[in-house]
Amino acid sequence: MKCISAAALFLPFVLATDFTVGVGKDENTGKKGLGFDPSSINPAVGDTIVFEFRSGSHSAVQSTFDSPCTGNGGFNSGVMTVDDSLGVDAPDLPTVRLLVNDTQPLWFFDEAGGLCTKGAVLSVNPSTTQTDAAFKANAAAASASPSSASASPSASGPASPSGSGSGSASAGSASGNGTGSAAPAATSPSGAARLAASAPALALAMLAAWAAL
Ligand SMILES: *[C@@H]1O[C@H](CO)[C@@H](O)[C@H](O)[C@H]1NC(C)=O
Ligand SMILES: *[C@@H]1O[C@H](CO)[C@@H](O)[C@H](O)[C@H]1NC(C)=O
């Protein structure tokens, strides 16, 4: 019995949920329209966002809290074009799925739809400091700023492990993943160095052991 209950602890009881988000569907009227329906969701780790595209040309593109209407190089559904003859909830509308890997906030806008500043944005797991309302306010204000490409020192960037030299970090110039990958990247060189340093010692010890035979 103990064995069974112990084994049960390790069974994957996580039930992943699909969060379907209509793109090009007005969340207030339920009809074809501007934005995402719903425009704010709170999926858990392992859940999946299912973008479901309505009439016209739309795309779900990942952006940042500070620059809601500028792609950050992360997720991009690609442009999906749906015929106007299809009803708002017609069966078999095209979908694109995105797995949620953590509970960090994610931000999206409808790039192809082109109405980001009018509210065509989606908040995923907004926080108490980065709220859905503030994100929408940032989007509404985005037209005022000339959204220059230089204005993208996003929170993720700067951690690049400068010491590592010829890394992949510089080439990638990744926007989304900086913080997550930076820490492991910074530690792994020293780990590798330790291993390299200890290798000769190990070889010597083995040699000595072999000689002793
Ligand atoms: C972050 O990195 C992981 C693996 O390194 C990758 O699977 C994921 O797509 C990346 N996410 C973004 C937003 O680039
Ligand atoms: C989660 O990880 C998967 C697999 O690595 C990746 O395809 C996906 O883009 C990630 N999700 C996000 C939101 O970055």
Side-chain angles (χ1 to χ4, degrees):
M1 273 313 159
K2 265 182 187 168
C3 294
I4 291 172
S5 56
L9 285 176
F10 295 96
L11 288 176
F13 275 116
V14 178
L15 296 175
T17 304
D18 281 358
F19 281 72
T20 299
V21 176
V23 189
K25 181 179 178 182
D26 188 311
E27 68 176 337
N28 296 313
T29 65
K31 298 178 177 172
K32 294 176 188 176
L34 178 158
F36 296 82
D37 172 38
S39 65
S40 182
I41 58 175
N42 293 281
V45 174
D47 290 345
T48 297
I49 304 167
V50 182
F51 293 105
E52 190 178 53
F53 294 87
R54 262 68 186 185
S55 301
S57 290
H58 298 281
S59 62
V61 174
Q62 193 174 357
S63 63
T64 62
F65 178 77
D66 291 323
S67 299
C69 302
T70 304
N72 74 343
F75 175 79
N76 187 331
S77 69
V79 178
M80 309 296 284
T81 302
V82 173
D83 196 276
D84 279 346
S85 66
L86 287 179
V88 64
D89 287 325
D92 302 326
L93 291 170
T95 59
V96 176
R97 303 171 66 85
L98 176 61
L99 181 65
V100 175
N101 302 312
D102 55 48
T103 53
Q104 293 300 304
L106 300 171
W107 315 101
F108 300 88
F109 71 112
D110 180 356
E111 185 171 51
L115 296 171
C116 178
T117 61
K118 296 281 187 284
V121 292
L122 167 69
S123 302
V124 177
N125 289 319
S127 68
T128 51
T129 53
Q130 296 189 326
T131 64
D132 175 56
F135 179 58
K136 284 176 172 139
N138 286 347
S143 55
S145 66
S147 77
S148 58
S150 62
S152 58
S154 56
S156 51
S160 65
S162 54
S164 67
S166 69
S168 54
S170 54
S173 78
S175 41
N177 259 339
T179 50
S181 55
T187 56
S188 58
S190 61
R194 263 201 309 279
L195 193 66
S198 63
L202 186 66
L204 277 178
M206 290 176 70
L207 198 63
W210 176 79
L213 293 175

